[in-house]
Amino acid sequence: MIEVIDITKKFDDFTVLENVSLEIEKGEIVTIIGPSGSGKSTLLRCLNRLEEIQSGSIKIEGEPVDKNNCRKLGMVFQNFNLFPHKTVIENIIEAPVIVKKEKKEDAKKLARKLLEDVGLSDKENSYPSQLSGGQKQRVAIARALAMNPDIMLFDEPTSALDPELVGEVLGVIKELAKEHMTMVIVTHEMAFAKEISDRVVFMDKGKIVEQGSPEDVFENPKHPRIKSFLSRFL
């Protein structure tokens, strides 16, 4: 589904990603963990061309990623990125109507179904300022799903939330997992990563240090860097 081949990303002279390669299969749930500044979020942003890479290549379903096929990727950011002056339902239908030229009524119909799926049917006419952080993030997930993506990218979807709101967002992601949605999730929630992942990728200093099943990475990590990282969480 996604093929990352030997990519390097620099900001000026600073190398954020160095010769990173990764393959993600259809229906697979891959979580990316590691210390802050290890390149996790930058890798995600390179997948959908929010950041341009200096070398290497990224393919989606065998085709080089471009502005057309990167629509197959839905992205959820840690800070929600909702339009503050638009209602919940207006936020959700914006891209389908403007980018995909869908009829407004069709877009609203799907938006209402998605709001039901994330447990927010009663909030369609609310503005983001009237929502809790957990509700905003669930709207952001519904908005990404409204574009009918094949792959969902989550960039630390719970890191801006109060601890008691984390569960409601993780619950929505778990429901997507049951539907076999292909997902790449950058997260600091180790217990969640362990529970939901088909594969866990550990990054440090712009490189993939180790990857494997949750059991392998969390219970039998080979690299000393992972052992010291996990000892702070588990």
Side-chain angles (χ1 to χ4, degrees), residues 102-121:
E102 288 180 13
K103 290 189 181 133
K104 201 174 240 188
E105 280 317 304
D106 292 344
K108 278 188 173 176
K109 196 172 168 186
L110 175 60
R112 289 188 177 114
K113 185 200 171 295
L114 291 168
L115 282 172
E116 192 179 325
D117 290 347
V118 300
L120 291 173
S121 292

Side-chain angles (χ1 to χ4, degrees), residues 25 39 57 101-102 116 131 145 161 177 198 213 228:
E25 303 293 332
S57 65
K101 306 287 186 267
E102 288 180 13
E116 192 179 325
L131 305 178
L145 291 170
L161 302 181
D198 296 309
S213 69
S228 70

Side-chain angles (χ1 to χ4, degrees), residues 88-89 92-93 96 106-121 138-149 152 172 176 179 181:
V88 163
I89 199 158
I92 295 172
I93 69 169
D106 292 344
K108 278 188 173 176
K109 196 172 168 186
L110 175 60
R112 289 188 177 114
K113 185 200 171 295
L114 291 168
L115 282 172
E116 192 179 325
D117 290 347
V118 300
L120 291 173
S121 292
R138 285 186 281 155
V139 172
I141 293 171
R143 181 182 59 179
L145 291 170
M147 289 294 281
N148 203 16
M152 283 288 280
V172 171
L176 289 176
E179 295 167 21
M181 167 70 79

Side-chain angles (χ1 to χ4, degrees), residues 7-178:
I7 67 168
T8 292
K9 168 70 189 170
K10 295 183 177 186
F11 292 116
D12 298 324
D13 294 336
F14 182 65
T15 302
V16 189
L17 298 173
E18 189 176 353
N19 301 334
V20 171
S21 295
L22 182 67
E23 287 187 7
I24 292 155
E25 303 293 332
K26 187 175 172 61
E28 191 176 22
I29 299 167
V30 175
T31 53
I32 304 177
I33 64 170
S36 294
S38 57
K40 309 182 298 295
S41 294
T42 303
L43 173 57
L44 222 53
R45 293 171 69 85
C46 290
L47 294 182
N48 67 357
R49 296 195 58 191
L50 288 174
E51 299 288 354
E52 295 294 337
I53 55 176
Q54 270 70 47
S55 61
S57 65
I58 299 170
K59 294 180 179 178
I60 297 175
E61 296 179 322
E63 299 291 325
V65 66
D66 59 28
K67 67 177 188 295
N68 293 319
N69 63 8
C70 75
R71 285 187 197 168
K72 294 179 178 181
L73 302 167
M75 179 102 173
V76 176
F77 302 87
Q78 65 189 81
N79 294 321
F80 328 126
N81 290 14
L82 299 175
F83 297 114
H85 60 289
K86 290 182 183 289
T87 63
V88 163
I89 199 158
E90 286 168 348
N91 264 283
I92 295 172
I93 69 169
E94 172 95 350
V97 169
I98 289 177
V99 179
K100 292 177 85 176
K101 306 287 186 267
E102 288 180 13
K103 290 189 181 133
K104 201 174 240 188
E105 280 317 304
D106 292 344
K108 278 188 173 176
K109 196 172 168 186
L110 175 60
R112 289 188 177 114
K113 185 200 171 295
L114 291 168
L115 282 172
E116 192 179 325
D117 290 347
V118 300
L120 291 173
S121 292
D122 58 333
K123 299 292 184 190
E124 71 169 73
N125 295 315
S126 300
Y127 286 89
S129 61
Q130 298 168 307
L131 305 178
S132 72
Q135 289 169 333
K136 287 179 195 170
Q137 194 58 294
R138 285 186 281 155
V139 172
I141 293 171
R143 181 182 59 179
L145 291 170
M147 289 294 281
N148 203 16
D150 297 331
I151 302 156
M152 283 288 280
L153 308 177
F154 292 90
D155 185 10
E156 299 191 21
T158 60
S159 67
L161 302 181
D162 293 332
E164 70 269 22
L165 301 176
V166 167
E168 62 190 57
V169 172
L170 297 184
V172 171
I173 299 174
K174 284 178 191 171
E175 288 302 314
L176 289 176
K178 288 181 191 167

